[in-house]
Each structure stands twice: as C-alpha cells, then as structure tokens.
Amino acid sequence: MSNERRLFLFVVLTFAWVLGFPVIAQKLGWVRTPPAAKKPAAHARNDATEKHDAEKHDAEKSKAAEKPEAVADAKAEPAKREAAEPAEAKPEAEKAEIELVPADELTMGTLADKSPGDYHFQIRLDQKGAGVASVLSSRYDADFEGRVNPHLPMRLIGRDPNLPAGAGAWPPSLALTLGAAERVGRVAPMRPTERLLAAANGAPTSEDLLDVEVWEVVRDDQGRVVRPLTRAAKGDVAAAEGQEVVFRAEADNGVTVVKTYRLWRGEDGFDLALRFESPDRERSFSFNLMAPHGIPIEGEWYTTTYREVFFGTAAKGSTTLTTHTASEIAKASADKPVESTVEPLKFTGVENQYFAILLAPFPPPHDSEDRIDREAQAFLLERDPRDVNKSDVGVRVHSRPITVGPNVPREFDFKIFAGVKTEEALAPYGAEELAVYRKGIIPFAPTIARYFITPVLTFTYGVTKSVAAVFGGARGNYGLAIILLTLIVKLLMFPLGRKQALMAQRMQHLQPHLKALQEKYKDDKEKLTKETFALYKKHNANPVSGCLPALVQIPIFVGLWQALNSSVVLRQAPFLWIKDLAAPDMLFRLPFDLPFLGHWFNVLPIVVVGVMIFQTHLFSPPATTPEMEMQQKMMKYMMVFMAVMFYKVPSGLGLYFIVSSVWSIGERLLLPKIVHEHPVEGGEDDGKDKGDKPRGGSGPSPAAPTKPPGGIAQFWTRVLEEAKKDPTYRKMTDERDGAQSDKKRDRDGGPDRPRVRPKRK
C-alpha cells in the first residue's frame, strides 16, 4: 500500500472514530446524554424584561406601602452623618410618594426606523438607580448560531440574560453612588449580596447607595416623561432632533442629584449630564459612576476575543490605550486591582470583537488640571464557571473631590458610545485608537490589514455592487469580493510566484544529480556539501528562494485574518451556503459535541487541507534520502493537524485559502508550458572527481528526467525501427550519410587539403 493510501485511510479512520465514538458511548451508557440545548435568548428578552419590570414595580409599590422598619431606620440614622438641619431631612412619607413610572414610558428612541438619519438605538432606562437597563441597536442584528438568522436586535448594553436577574444582579449601567471627599485606600464596589444585607439591616456603608434607590422622574409641563429636544447647529455639531429623560434624587448627605439622558437622531451614542446642588450650605463629596457594561460576546463558541476592558488616557497631547482581558481582571487581587490612576482618563469601557461601549468625559481632559477622575477601576461583575475568559467585567470611575454650595452647583457631562469599532464612529468620542488593528504578533500584519486589505476589500465589494446593479441588485457580495481580493494579491505576487515555480522546476530537474552526489560522497559530508553548493551555483539554483513568496504571504494572511475579525461589514455577510463570512461555514449541525471542534460540521477547513495535500503531492520533488521521505510524511500529517487547529477559522479566510491554492496549482501547471528551460546537465565533472578521469571522459553523467513520449511518437519510432531492417532503406541511408560527409569535408577544407598562406605586399 502506498503512503498516500495510508494517509487517506488514516484520515478516514480518524474522522470516523471522532464522529462515531460519542454516539457509541452514549448508546452504551458510558456518558450521560447532554441536556437539550436551550433556545438562544441572548437578545429576545423584550417581553420577559417588560414582565420583570412590571413585577419589580409592583414589588416597589407594595414595599413603599408597607414601609419596612429597616428602611426607615436606615434613612433615619446614616453612619457618620453631619449635624442635620431640619430642612435637610426628608420625611419618609414624602419619599414614599415617588411615582413609579411604567417601563414603556422610560424608553427613548425606536427600533422601527433603520434609516441613517433616525435613532440608532432603543434605550430603556431603570427608575431604580436611574441607570440604563438596556440599549438595543436598530442597525445591527444580534449574533446568532446556526443557518437561520432570527434578525433580533443587537443588545449593546444591558444585564447578561444568562445571569440571574433580580436580587443577585448588579446595578444598571451609569448607576451612581456618593462617597466621602477624602478617603484612605481603595474602595472596591460592593457585591450585590453586601448591598442587600446593608439595605436590610441598615448597616453603615462607605457610600451612599443611590444606585439601589428609586429616583423621581421629572415630567415636563405637559406631563411627558420623554421630552422632545431640538439642537441648533454650532461649530462642528450639526442640528438635530432628540429626546431626554430627567431623574432627581436626594442623597443622605443633603445633596440633590439630577441625571439627564439625551439621545440624538443619527448618532452612535447618547449624552449623560450630572448636576449636583446644595441649596442650604457647602458640602464636599465624590461620586462613583459605573461605566456601561453587559456587552455580549460575539461568536462565543469559535472566537478568541471575548470581553476586554480598556483605558484611554491623555498624556502629553496623545492618547495611550491599554487593554485587559476578563481573565486578568478576575485573577487580580484586591490589593492590586486593574486600574488607571496616573494620567487623566479620556475614555474607558468594555469591548468585544466588533463592538465597544465606553464612557468619555466631555470635554476631554488635556492635563491634570482639568481631569475629572481620580481613578478608574476594573472589577468582576460575574465569573463564568466554565471559562474565566468569558466572565462579565465592568469599570467604575471615581471622581476627584467636589464642593457644592448655595448658588454654586457643579455639572459634569459625559458621552456614551455604543457601536462598531470604526474610525468614523469613534472620532466624535476621541477613541479612534480602538479601531486600529491592535492584536498582531506578525510584523507589518496590522499595517497591511489597515492600509491594504481593508481598502482593497472595499474596492472589490464596490465592483461586485456595480455588477449587481446592472442586473437590478442593490447590494454586492463579500464572498465574491474576497475572491477578487485574492486574485489581486496573487497578481501582485506573480513575479515572486513565477520565480518560485521556475526554481521548483529547476530543483526537480537537479534531483538525479543530487542523488548521484549523495551516493558518491556518502562517507564525506564536507565534500558532499561543497559539491552540492557547486552544483547549485553552476545551474543558478537556490533552494531557499522558493520560501520567499510564502514568507511574504504570511503578513497578508494574518492581515486578512485580522480584517475578518475586526471588520463589521463582513459580520453576517452571506455567500452560497455560508451565512456569516466572519464565522465558520457551519454546513450542518452534528447530533453531539466534539472536544474542541464543537457541534458544527465545517467543510471549508477540510477542503483547504485537501487542496494543500494535492498541491504538495503534485509538485514536491521525489524523496532522494530517507530523511527527506520522512519530512514529506511529517508534512502530510501536519496538514491533518492544521485541519483541526484551523477548524473554527472564519469562512472568508477558508475561501481565501482555497482560491489562493487553486491559483498556485494553475500557475505551476501552466508555467512550464510557457517557459522552456534547457535540460539540466550534470556538474562540471559530471559528478566525478578531477583526479578520476579527465574532463569530457567516458563516464556517463546522470541524465535529467524527461517527459515520456506519447502514443503517436512511440508508434512512429516502431515504424522507423522496422524500416531500418530493410536492405534498400539501409543502402539509401548510407549513401545519404556519405554525401553529407563529403559536403561537410569540402566546406571545411578537408583533413588533407594544403594550407594556403596569404601573399605579402
């Protein structure tokens, strides 16, 4: 049995074992049958959220009616409170009269209109804590797993639906607490259980927990919760229409806090304004603002980018960006948390593969004098028990000391971004650095991805869109755009590919001579090396030059990989049976889970490896030594290993691999027919030592392999051999050869013709 058949049988048996063993194990009862997969509910919680909000509001009403003693005690006796004046203390009866607004009235924006100039979000606010309960995008669909897209709206901000809601949940995004003006050491955020115990027992806390209080919703003159707004054009800010919602609360230290949310049409974010008032006397404090959190993970079962916290700080006129994975934050100790304290905070938040949510002070600080923050600290919201890298993380911004007094309020403005990581979208927030391809270990790969791959892919997509318009279509196709991109890359690299093909052909012709040298100098390695390099030099052959195109393609390959993992335009882009070019092709779902591979059958990685094995078998030179034969076998097995390692790569990358390999095969097959090289002869002495025989001796030199003659040539050869047996044909041949010899001798002067000297003048 040949090596190729053994390899094919090995691959078939391996896949049969991997696919069949779990089924056999389940039938035999060796493993438990996995529970039925729950229906994906990543973003289909609108009805459930409304029901939960209604139940929560009913509970708040009953709680306010019952007036628990613990809450009354907690409000009556706060720890280390300053001497209170009668006007500062609000009667409990008055606080209980706060109107509970239905969740539908605390909704800004819409999901119905997807035009560029309309609202990009639907924002649902939470009266408890006056925070943001959820932000749903009207521009992008939620991540889906499978071959059918349910077209649910993308949830950018909100509580993770996989985590328990209610008592164990963290406060909503942009929730606020107040603390002392000066504090010693770090103040970590209180866990939800600690908050519940403090609220139930009336225990003193280091913060005024406004994030668990029910805030008053301030209506306008017409009784509307969501107020219409109109913004006039000013400088770089365009005129726009929008909406706003105003909350108000009274802190235990006597400070009145007003939170205003504003949402504008056509923008990828919204605004938050904080106003602190102290109408009777001067007070000092600091506030702690929770940055947006709850961004989902894109492609949880195949991606390598989960949730990461980032800090953008202003330093000497430039922006410094640092990122930290969820694993780093989960493993950080309380004494050394992940934080940013040295430089003024320009923006901070959480990002995933394509999207980012961030909080940015406005106007952005330039130096330490105008900075708002004292520190920004990352913390763990919820640890994922299966994989710590998938844990939910967030950031809290701690302000510098603030002093307010009669007729001296303080206001702070923030911009909140929630959208895709593109330079155009992030520029108004000063966070363009998030759009840069930052995760590249191969030199020049991020630069190639940013300045070559992405522009060329945009151009090729425009070509497909123009062609589609001819046939009445309105959209292009990114699958065809990737194919055109591959062809452009291969055309640009054609000189290197041509040189590689010619060098491979030349090296293949030199194999018999190399084998002869190895046989002759098998006991003299130094002489063998010297003669081998002499043979390479004589025929202008360089085995290393064939690796140059492969080395050049590595940054291009990694750059395309980064473009596929960072360009949101490729997200959920369909092609043939592929529903998402940025995800594996997912041909069909397996009835069981495979370790590392998952429960989807991806055909493109197998096709890629099959084409590579065929290309290697077609053009690899024959093995001349046992070591070379072993290396070729190892390469074949490595390709099978690569099929497993790259089983979850984006399908767009697999498409690039297949087109590139087919081009290379065609290039190698057609190039020898276009370029005809002279037959390769042996070395200078035909593989002999200088002392064995003189140059041009009778020692036969190994001939280069030639193409076997075809059927017509073999037939004509047999006809000539039969004709040579006829005496008449031999006589005619001898007379013709003799006549040709006489003509040549007369032309050259003949061997016995006397030499004629020229006459002297």
Side-chain angles (χ1 to χ4, degrees), residues 614 618-619 664-673:
F614 174 74
L618 195 62
F619 301 115
S664 300
I665 292 174
E667 191 177 71
R668 290 288 302 275
L669 290 176
L670 294 177
L671 204 59
K673 298 181 180 180

PDB file of all heavy atoms in Angstrom, residues 614 618-619 664-673:
ATOM      1  N   PHE A 614      -3.083  17.873  -2.089  1.00  0.00           N
ATOM      2  CA  PHE A 614      -2.978  17.621  -3.531  1.00  0.00           C
ATOM      3  C   PHE A 614      -1.858  18.447  -4.147  1.00  0.00           C
ATOM      4  O   PHE A 614      -1.097  17.959  -4.995  1.00  0.00           O
ATOM      5  CB  PHE A 614      -4.309  17.950  -4.198  1.00  0.00           C
ATOM      6  CG  PHE A 614      -4.276  17.860  -5.695  1.00  0.00           C
ATOM      7  CD1 PHE A 614      -4.240  16.625  -6.334  1.00  0.00           C
ATOM      8  CD2 PHE A 614      -4.263  19.012  -6.470  1.00  0.00           C
ATOM      9  CE1 PHE A 614      -4.202  16.545  -7.710  1.00  0.00           C
ATOM     10  CE2 PHE A 614      -4.231  18.941  -7.845  1.00  0.00           C
ATOM     11  CZ  PHE A 614      -4.199  17.697  -8.472  1.00  0.00           C
ATOM     12  N   LEU A 618       1.531  16.938  -5.885  1.00  0.00           N
ATOM     13  CA  LEU A 618       1.706  17.193  -7.313  1.00  0.00           C
ATOM     14  C   LEU A 618       3.063  17.792  -7.624  1.00  0.00           C
ATOM     15  O   LEU A 618       3.647  17.492  -8.674  1.00  0.00           O
ATOM     16  CB  LEU A 618       0.601  18.132  -7.795  1.00  0.00           C
ATOM     17  CG  LEU A 618       0.387  18.261  -9.302  1.00  0.00           C
ATOM     18  CD1 LEU A 618      -0.004  16.917  -9.909  1.00  0.00           C
ATOM     19  CD2 LEU A 618      -0.682  19.301  -9.597  1.00  0.00           C
ATOM     20  N   PHE A 619       3.592  18.623  -6.724  1.00  0.00           N
ATOM     21  CA  PHE A 619       4.784  19.380  -7.065  1.00  0.00           C
ATOM     22  C   PHE A 619       5.986  19.096  -6.179  1.00  0.00           C
ATOM     23  O   PHE A 619       7.055  19.642  -6.437  1.00  0.00           O
ATOM     24  CB  PHE A 619       4.477  20.884  -7.001  1.00  0.00           C
ATOM     25  CG  PHE A 619       3.372  21.306  -7.922  1.00  0.00           C
ATOM     26  CD1 PHE A 619       2.186  21.806  -7.425  1.00  0.00           C
ATOM     27  CD2 PHE A 619       3.519  21.192  -9.288  1.00  0.00           C
ATOM     28  CE1 PHE A 619       1.172  22.183  -8.265  1.00  0.00           C
ATOM     29  CE2 PHE A 619       2.509  21.569 -10.141  1.00  0.00           C
ATOM     30  CZ  PHE A 619       1.323  22.065  -9.637  1.00  0.00           C
ATOM     31  N   SER A 664      -2.260  28.862  -7.306  1.00  0.00           N
ATOM     32  CA  SER A 664      -0.877  28.360  -7.280  1.00  0.00           C
ATOM     33  C   SER A 664      -0.746  27.077  -8.085  1.00  0.00           C
ATOM     34  O   SER A 664       0.256  26.876  -8.798  1.00  0.00           O
ATOM     35  CB  SER A 664      -0.437  28.135  -5.835  1.00  0.00           C
ATOM     36  OG  SER A 664      -0.492  29.338  -5.094  1.00  0.00           O
ATOM     37  N   ILE A 665      -1.736  26.194  -7.992  1.00  0.00           N
ATOM     38  CA  ILE A 665      -1.683  24.956  -8.768  1.00  0.00           C
ATOM     39  C   ILE A 665      -1.718  25.269 -10.264  1.00  0.00           C
ATOM     40  O   ILE A 665      -0.932  24.720 -11.058  1.00  0.00           O
ATOM     41  CB  ILE A 665      -2.843  24.035  -8.366  1.00  0.00           C
ATOM     42  CG1 ILE A 665      -2.643  23.519  -6.942  1.00  0.00           C
ATOM     43  CG2 ILE A 665      -2.957  22.856  -9.335  1.00  0.00           C
ATOM     44  CD1 ILE A 665      -3.813  22.728  -6.408  1.00  0.00           C
ATOM     45  N   GLY A 666      -2.639  26.143 -10.675  1.00  0.00           N
ATOM     46  CA  GLY A 666      -2.681  26.515 -12.083  1.00  0.00           C
ATOM     47  C   GLY A 666      -1.416  27.205 -12.544  1.00  0.00           C
ATOM     48  O   GLY A 666      -0.944  26.994 -13.668  1.00  0.00           O
ATOM     49  N   GLU A 667      -0.829  28.021 -11.688  1.00  0.00           N
ATOM     50  CA  GLU A 667       0.414  28.713 -12.028  1.00  0.00           C
ATOM     51  C   GLU A 667       1.546  27.726 -12.249  1.00  0.00           C
ATOM     52  O   GLU A 667       2.330  27.840 -13.197  1.00  0.00           O
ATOM     53  CB  GLU A 667       0.740  29.694 -10.903  1.00  0.00           C
ATOM     54  CG  GLU A 667       1.837  30.678 -11.197  1.00  0.00           C
ATOM     55  CD  GLU A 667       2.022  31.645 -10.054  1.00  0.00           C
ATOM     56  OE1 GLU A 667       2.536  31.214  -8.993  1.00  0.00           O
ATOM     57  OE2 GLU A 667       1.640  32.815 -10.195  1.00  0.00           O
ATOM     58  N   ARG A 668       1.638  26.721 -11.399  1.00  0.00           N
ATOM     59  CA  ARG A 668       2.705  25.723 -11.530  1.00  0.00           C
ATOM     60  C   ARG A 668       2.493  24.809 -12.728  1.00  0.00           C
ATOM     61  O   ARG A 668       3.454  24.341 -13.348  1.00  0.00           O
ATOM     62  CB  ARG A 668       2.777  24.899 -10.247  1.00  0.00           C
ATOM     63  CG  ARG A 668       3.307  25.666  -9.049  1.00  0.00           C
ATOM     64  CD  ARG A 668       4.796  25.926  -9.176  1.00  0.00           C
ATOM     65  NE  ARG A 668       5.526  24.697  -9.305  1.00  0.00           N
ATOM     66  CZ  ARG A 668       5.941  23.946  -8.284  1.00  0.00           C
ATOM     67  NH1 ARG A 668       5.653  24.322  -7.049  1.00  0.00           N
ATOM     68  NH2 ARG A 668       6.621  22.846  -8.491  1.00  0.00           N
ATOM     69  N   LEU A 669       1.225  24.533 -13.066  1.00  0.00           N
ATOM     70  CA  LEU A 669       0.964  23.648 -14.200  1.00  0.00           C
ATOM     71  C   LEU A 669       1.151  24.358 -15.535  1.00  0.00           C
ATOM     72  O   LEU A 669       1.621  23.746 -16.509  1.00  0.00           O
ATOM     73  CB  LEU A 669      -0.462  23.094 -14.112  1.00  0.00           C
ATOM     74  CG  LEU A 669      -0.733  22.078 -13.004  1.00  0.00           C
ATOM     75  CD1 LEU A 669      -2.191  21.690 -12.983  1.00  0.00           C
ATOM     76  CD2 LEU A 669       0.137  20.831 -13.179  1.00  0.00           C
ATOM     77  N   LEU A 670       0.801  25.624 -15.619  1.00  0.00           N
ATOM     78  CA  LEU A 670       0.875  26.343 -16.888  1.00  0.00           C
ATOM     79  C   LEU A 670       2.240  26.954 -17.142  1.00  0.00           C
ATOM     80  O   LEU A 670       2.627  27.135 -18.300  1.00  0.00           O
ATOM     81  CB  LEU A 670      -0.183  27.451 -16.918  1.00  0.00           C
ATOM     82  CG  LEU A 670      -1.640  26.987 -16.909  1.00  0.00           C
ATOM     83  CD1 LEU A 670      -2.573  28.188 -16.868  1.00  0.00           C
ATOM     84  CD2 LEU A 670      -1.940  26.124 -18.123  1.00  0.00           C
ATOM     85  N   LEU A 671       2.995  27.266 -16.095  1.00  0.00           N
ATOM     86  CA  LEU A 671       4.265  27.952 -16.286  1.00  0.00           C
ATOM     87  C   LEU A 671       5.288  27.121 -17.058  1.00  0.00           C
ATOM     88  O   LEU A 671       5.960  27.651 -17.951  1.00  0.00           O
ATOM     89  CB  LEU A 671       4.830  28.376 -14.928  1.00  0.00           C
ATOM     90  CG  LEU A 671       5.808  29.548 -14.957  1.00  0.00           C
ATOM     91  CD1 LEU A 671       5.142  30.771 -15.558  1.00  0.00           C
ATOM     92  CD2 LEU A 671       6.302  29.856 -13.568  1.00  0.00           C
ATOM     93  N   PRO A 672       5.471  25.824 -16.790  1.00  0.00           N
ATOM     94  CA  PRO A 672       6.436  25.052 -17.593  1.00  0.00           C
ATOM     95  C   PRO A 672       6.073  24.994 -19.071  1.00  0.00           C
ATOM     96  O   PRO A 672       6.954  24.813 -19.914  1.00  0.00           O
ATOM     97  CB  PRO A 672       6.394  23.662 -16.947  1.00  0.00           C
ATOM     98  CG  PRO A 672       5.916  23.902 -15.567  1.00  0.00           C
ATOM     99  CD  PRO A 672       4.947  25.032 -15.680  1.00  0.00           C
ATOM    100  N   LYS A 673       4.799  25.131 -19.425  1.00  0.00           N
ATOM    101  CA  LYS A 673       4.418  25.112 -20.834  1.00  0.00           C
ATOM    102  C   LYS A 673       4.710  26.439 -21.519  1.00  0.00           C
ATOM    103  O   LYS A 673       4.834  26.504 -22.733  1.00  0.00           O
ATOM    104  CB  LYS A 673       2.927  24.796 -20.955  1.00  0.00           C
ATOM    105  CG  LYS A 673       2.564  23.424 -20.411  1.00  0.00           C
ATOM    106  CD  LYS A 673       1.089  23.136 -20.573  1.00  0.00           C
ATOM    107  CE  LYS A 673       0.747  21.748 -20.028  1.00  0.00           C
ATOM    108  NZ  LYS A 673      -0.694  21.438 -20.177  1.00  0.00           N
TER     109      LYS A 673
END
